[in-house]
Amino acid sequence: MNKKQFHLRSRVVMLFLAVVLTAFGWVLFDLQVVNGSYFLEQSTRKIANTETVQAARGNILDRYGRVLVSNRATYQVTLDTSLMGTGQSRNETVLALLEVCREQGVSWNETLPVTTTPPFRYTVDNPFQTVSVDESGNEKRRETQLARLVATLNLKDLPAEPSAQELVLALRNYFKVEQTVGQTEGRALVGVLCELALRSKDIARTAYVFAQDVDIDFITVVKERQLIGVRIDTATVREYNTTYAAHLLGQVGSIYQEEWEYYMDKGYSMNDIVGKDGVEQAFEDILRGTPGVKDVEYNQTGKIINESWHVDPETGQAQVPQPGDNLMLTLDIKLQEAVEEALERYVPGMTEESQKAACVVVDMTGGVLASASYPSFDPATYRQDYYALSTDPLEPLFNRALQGLYAPGSTFKMAVAAGALEEGAVTRTEKIEDTGRYKHYERIEDQPMCWYFRQYGRTHGFENVSEAIRDSCNVYFYEAGLRMGIEKIDQYAALFGLGEETGLELYERAGEVAGPESSKRHGQTWYEGETMYAAIGQGNTQVTPIQLANYVATLVNGGSHYPTHLLKTVKSSDFSRVIEEYQSQPRDQIGLDSANVEAVKKGMGMVASEGSAAYYFRDLPVQVGAKTGTAQVSRNSEAHALLVAFAPYEDPEIAISIVVEHGGSGTLVSAIAAEIFEYYFSAKDAMDAAVTENTLVR
């Protein structure tokens, strides 16, 4: 290469470099000077939202501090209306998310009250208007959330109260759902879009909790799809630390469409999780806690670029979520476990028909130590098992202990005995002859008989009140009941809390006691002779197992009628303070004569020591008082078997009631009661030696 060629090539290279550097400098000048302000705005543009952050619910514990329900960290899927856009792109995002949910078996939250598959029907009776009655008896009509949604969307060419099919079609048109989307997929899509539309009307809070408690596989698939506006957040869900007490503890869930008005008035947001039944619902205000508020900033792709706790302008305080308080119940979960296991072991084998039962254990001031309904279910798998549970003919979801209504049979006789003694209708020493057939009404062809005469052709002879309770002598109580009169029978039944709600914090049924008023409610005529049957717990009398347990506690504690309760103590979220402690106050003081109480207790003591239940109670570490009963259902089926009992005899601590549907003889139920007493007093001695009450047990 000669010198001339070398210089030529050098000049070409230098010229090329000069051109490149000039172009690069121009680009930088254009970015930073000519269009600098524009690109700066683009790079810093952000979308600001204010989001509600749910507080962790308080724990639920038993009386000894054993944790029954707590919280578990998990993930939830949240959709943001401000990032998802509108029209077809939004629809495609939601359809893709729904597809992932179906593939992964994940359910999502939406409240459109329409069936999920065609032919579409409403899932509530009054989808557009609810009717309630105020304290004055006046009807109050209110629009539902669905009615407000329809009005807000301004759906065209839609009747005032469209059919579900018409509504789904109108929603498809409004949200521009393509015809290629099938009916089931379209119904799911418009359900989610309705939720998004509701939240888009709230400028401050646009997030929508789409699904909860999702696993890592679901999260991975969603992340791979890169769906704009779909966010994975940390959250907490309820965790059950016991498989027992399912009917008491209850469940939490999303706010239903028909509940929204109530919760909206209390300051809840649409995404809130609330107690749906049981303790979770009854103590919602204690367990819920205070939600926090977070300021979140996103860029245009939906990525979070900044977040901080919102500062209340009035107080200057950051609105950080405050966990709910911890709730200690009167429940003894180990005793509950023993009760449920005893029912499961004994009930199915009592008769060919016995498959359902209930048992309640209370202390002398109405505290519920155990309440079991058989068959039961596992609260941890309630949602997965719901269809099977709800269609099971044995109705495992039904709480028989609080809501089952049964004729009390002979267990009612102590209320009549106590009332007759107090009113002077009988005395403690007076003996009434069991004549087999009760001939007070000579004109009655089919005269009432004592069970003993009907079954064995013999009579009990002359008996005082204690002996009559021991032998469950019907003739004695026919006579005592007629001497009292139905008004007094009903009065004492009410004083003992029979046929009335017990005051428990959970939902319970009241039932009724036989008499002129109950006959009138049933469209029947009351006859004086029916007083005899009312006196032995028959007729229209219907009570719950929890009423029976509390009635016995009221009787043997001397006549102090306490409301039943599950609340024991409320403690702060960190357990550092006692916020509330339940103070037992009697509803009524019956003022029973102690000698009369002893006479009734003596009869119950003889049932347990020498009567029909003696075999089962003879080896217990304490003396027991008891009364069995049977309640006829029909001539073609076994009677219901009942038992009420208390112990220890001299200084009662607990009272038990047990009902076994179609269990036959009440005597057979004594085996269940004996096992419960055995556990309670053995465990109590061990607990007293090992740990004091209110000490956390692990």
Side-chain angles (χ1 to χ4, degrees):
M1 180 186 299
N2 57 35
K3 189 174 182 180
K4 185 176 180 180
Q5 287 177 324
F6 174 78
H7 286 298
L8 178 62
R9 290 181 180 179
S10 297
R11 289 190 187 98
V12 170
V13 170
M14 292 180 66
L15 179 62
F16 175 77
L17 290 173
V19 171
V20 170
L21 289 172
T22 301
F24 183 67
W26 170 252
V27 170
L28 289 176
F29 180 79
D30 181 68
L31 285 172
Q32 297 183 25
V33 179
V34 178
N35 294 303
S37 60
Y38 170 78
F39 287 111
L40 178 63
E41 181 187 354
Q42 288 293 94
S43 66
T44 59
R45 182 180 295 176
K46 48 185 178 283
I47 302 169
N49 281 336
T50 302
E51 297 180 359
T52 299
V53 180
Q54 296 304 315
R57 289 177 75 84
N59 293 334
I60 302 174
L61 307 94
D62 83 343
R63 68 186 300 113
Y64 295 110
R66 305 180 185 102
V67 179
L68 308 180
V69 186
S70 56
N71 300 299
R72 172 172 55 85
T74 185
Y75 297 96
Q76 66 184 23
V77 181
T78 304
L79 308 186
D80 197 308
T81 58
S82 64
L83 301 172
M84 298 188 74
T86 59
Q88 191 57 32
S89 62
R90 174 204 57 201
N91 292 359
E92 289 175 357
T93 298
V94 175
L95 283 171
L97 182 59
L98 291 171
E99 181 183 356
V100 175
C101 287
R102 292 192 183 95
E103 290 174 355
Q104 299 292 321
V106 171
S107 59
W108 58 90
N109 302 319
E110 56 112 324
T111 58
L112 188 66
V114 175
T115 54
T116 57
T117 56
F120 299 118
R121 300 180 304 277
Y122 290 115
T123 57
V124 294
D125 294 333
N126 300 299
F128 292 97
Q129 193 176 70
T130 59
V131 180
S132 59
V133 180
D134 61 22
E135 295 179 356
S136 303
N138 300 317
E139 285 191 353
K140 187 176 182 181
R141 297 179 180 274
R142 305 179 75 171
E143 285 188 334
T144 64
Q145 179 179 317
L146 179 60
R148 289 192 293 273
L149 172 68
V150 170
T152 301
L153 298 181
N154 193 23
L155 301 177
K156 297 180 179 179
D157 303 323
L158 197 64
E161 294 192 359
S163 67
Q165 193 76 31
E166 291 172 329
L167 176 65
V168 172
L169 181 59
L171 290 171
R172 286 182 65 116
N173 293 333
Y174 178 85
F175 291 118
K176 297 180 174 57
V177 179
E178 293 186 342
Q179 295 296 321
T180 54
V181 178
Q183 289 194 70
T184 300
E185 291 79 6
R187 158 63 186 86
L189 174 59
V190 297
V192 174
L193 295 178
C194 283
E195 297 294 333
L196 290 170
L198 285 168
R199 286 157 179 80
S200 69
K201 307 304 176 183
D202 186 344
I203 298 173
R205 298 174 179 85
T206 57
Y208 159 34
V209 178
F210 173 80
Q212 296 153 308
D213 199 15
V214 295
D215 59 25
I216 194 65
D217 292 335
F218 179 86
I219 294 171
T220 301
V221 176
V222 170
K223 291 288 187 182
E224 289 174 351
R225 297 283 184 105
Q226 295 184 339
L227 304 175
I228 295 178
V230 179
R231 195 173 73 243
I232 307 297
D233 298 323
T234 57
T236 59
V237 295
R238 287 309 240 180
E239 182 168 49
Y240 293 88
N241 302 86
T242 178
T243 58
Y244 300 96
H247 294 94
L248 294 179
L249 297 177
Q251 299 281 325
V252 296
S254 302
I255 297 173
Y256 299 148
Q257 184 263 346
E258 59 269 25
E259 299 173 319
W260 170 238
E261 186 122 22
Y262 168 79
Y263 284 109
M264 180 178 65
D265 291 343
K266 297 190 70 171
Y268 283 66
S269 68
M270 293 179 185
N271 294 326
D272 284 349
I273 298 299
V274 299
K276 309 303 291 186
D277 55 13
V279 167
E280 292 279 18
Q281 181 184 52
F283 298 99
E284 168 71 16
D285 292 342
I286 292 172
L287 296 168
R288 182 195 179 206
T290 304
V293 181
K294 183 184 289 187
D295 294 326
V296 184
E297 295 179 345
Y298 305 88
N299 63 19
Q300 287 183 309
T301 64
K303 183 178 179 179
I304 296 176
I305 58 176
N306 186 43
E307 57 182 348
S308 60
W309 294 113
H310 182 74
V311 176
D312 189 321
E314 295 183 4
T315 64
Q317 298 293 318
Q319 293 182 263
V320 180
Q322 301 298 319
D325 294 323
N326 298 303
L327 178 69
M328 293 188 71
L329 305 177
T330 58
L331 199 69
D332 178 347
I333 195 60
K334 293 298 184 182
L335 177 63
Q336 177 79 21
E337 180 179 339
V339 170
E340 292 193 30
E341 290 181 351
L343 292 178
E344 186 175 8
R345 187 161 45 253
Y346 286 103
V347 169
M350 288 181 61
T351 69
E352 292 182 358
E353 298 178 64
S354 60
Q355 295 178 298
K356 307 172 185 178
C359 175
V360 177
V361 184
V362 299
D363 63 25
M364 292 298 107
T365 59
V368 177
L369 303 178
S371 175
S373 180
Y374 176 81
S376 186
F377 58 94
D378 185 344
T381 60
Y382 166 81
R383 298 198 182 282
Q384 301 94 298
D385 302 339
Y386 180 76
Y387 179 77
L389 293 170
S390 62
T391 56
D392 190 326
L394 297 182
E395 302 176 293
L397 297 178
F398 180 53
N399 190 345
R400 292 174 173 82
L402 309 185
Q403 299 159 28
L405 294 177
Y406 307 95
S410 293
T411 62
F412 189 77
K413 289 175 179 175
M414 289 86 70
V416 175
L421 289 170
E422 291 294 320
E423 296 299 317
V426 298
T427 67
R428 294 185 293 275
T429 58
E430 178 187 5
K431 297 206 171 198
I432 296 175
E433 183 183 8
D434 173 10
T435 55
R437 291 182 182 274
Y438 185 60
K439 301 180 179 180
H440 180 86
Y441 295 102
E442 294 285 352
R443 63 182 182 276
I444 298 178
E445 293 182 8
D446 187 15
Q447 291 172 326
M449 291 181 285
C450 183
W451 68 271
Y452 194 61
F453 182 77
R454 179 185 294 109
Q455 190 167 343
Y456 299 107
R458 300 195 298 271
T459 72
H460 293 113
F462 287 89
E463 295 200 314
N464 62 26
V465 65
S466 300
E467 295 164 338
I469 291 172
R470 176 195 62 193
D471 298 329
S472 199
C473 180
N474 286 350
V475 170
Y476 182 97
F477 286 98
Y478 291 152
E479 179 66 21
L482 285 176
R483 291 184 187 181
M484 285 181 70
I486 192 60
E487 290 80 10
K488 287 296 182 182
I489 292 176
D490 287 354
Q491 176 186 332
Y492 277 89
L495 288 172
F496 285 117
L498 296 173
E500 299 179 353
E501 294 180 4
T502 66
L504 194 71
E505 298 93 341
L506 276 57
Y507 170 67
E508 58 178 327
R509 295 176 71 184
E512 60 185 349
V513 175
E517 290 299 320
S518 68
S519 291
K520 184 178 180 180
R521 284 194 296 271
H522 291 282
Q524 302 167 345
T525 302
W526 174 262
Y527 297 100
E528 182 188 4
E530 293 180 71
T531 302
M532 295 183 296
Y533 301 104
I536 62 169
Q538 300 291 347
N540 290 333
T541 300
Q542 298 276 292
V543 299
T544 59
I546 194 170
Q547 288 176 21
L548 288 173
N550 203 39
Y551 137 63
V552 172
T554 301
L555 173 65
V556 300
N557 75 18
S560 296
H561 177 209
Y562 289 89
T564 62
H565 61 98
L566 278 165
L567 174 63
K568 186 176 187 294
T569 307
V570 178
K571 295 192 174 182
S572 60
S573 58
D574 60 358
F575 290 95
S576 64
R577 293 178 296 113
V578 174
I579 296 174
E580 180 183 352
E581 193 151 8
Y582 186 89
Q583 300 296 326
S584 295
Q585 296 294 331
R587 279 182 165 183
D588 301 297
Q589 288 286 3
I590 305 177
L592 299 176
D593 186 305
S594 60
N596 292 338
V597 172
E598 284 304 314
V600 176
K601 281 179 60 180
K602 182 180 179 182
M604 297 179 72
M606 289 192 291
V607 170
S609 62
E610 58 186 71
S612 55
Y615 173 81
Y616 299 98
F617 294 133
R618 62 186 178 185
D619 296 326
L620 291 178
V622 295
Q623 186 180 354
V624 173
K627 183 72 187 79
T628 60
T630 57
Q632 295 297 324
V633 181
S634 71
R635 293 186 178 183
N636 300 320
S637 64
E638 292 280 0
H640 293 339
L642 300 93
L643 178 136
V644 294
F646 68 92
Y649 180 86
E650 292 298 336
D651 186 16
E653 292 182 22
I654 63 171
I656 296 177
S657 72
I658 303 172
V659 178
V660 179
E661 295 185 20
H662 306 293
S665 169
T667 302
L668 297 176
V669 186
S670 303
I672 302 173
E675 191 163 307
I676 295 169
F677 281 129
E678 174 69 36
Y679 172 82
Y680 176 82
F681 289 103
S682 299
K684 179 177 179 295
D685 291 341
M687 181 67 78
D688 288 343
V691 65
T692 59
E693 195 171 293
N694 289 329
T695 300
L696 191 63
V697 176
R698 294 293 186 188

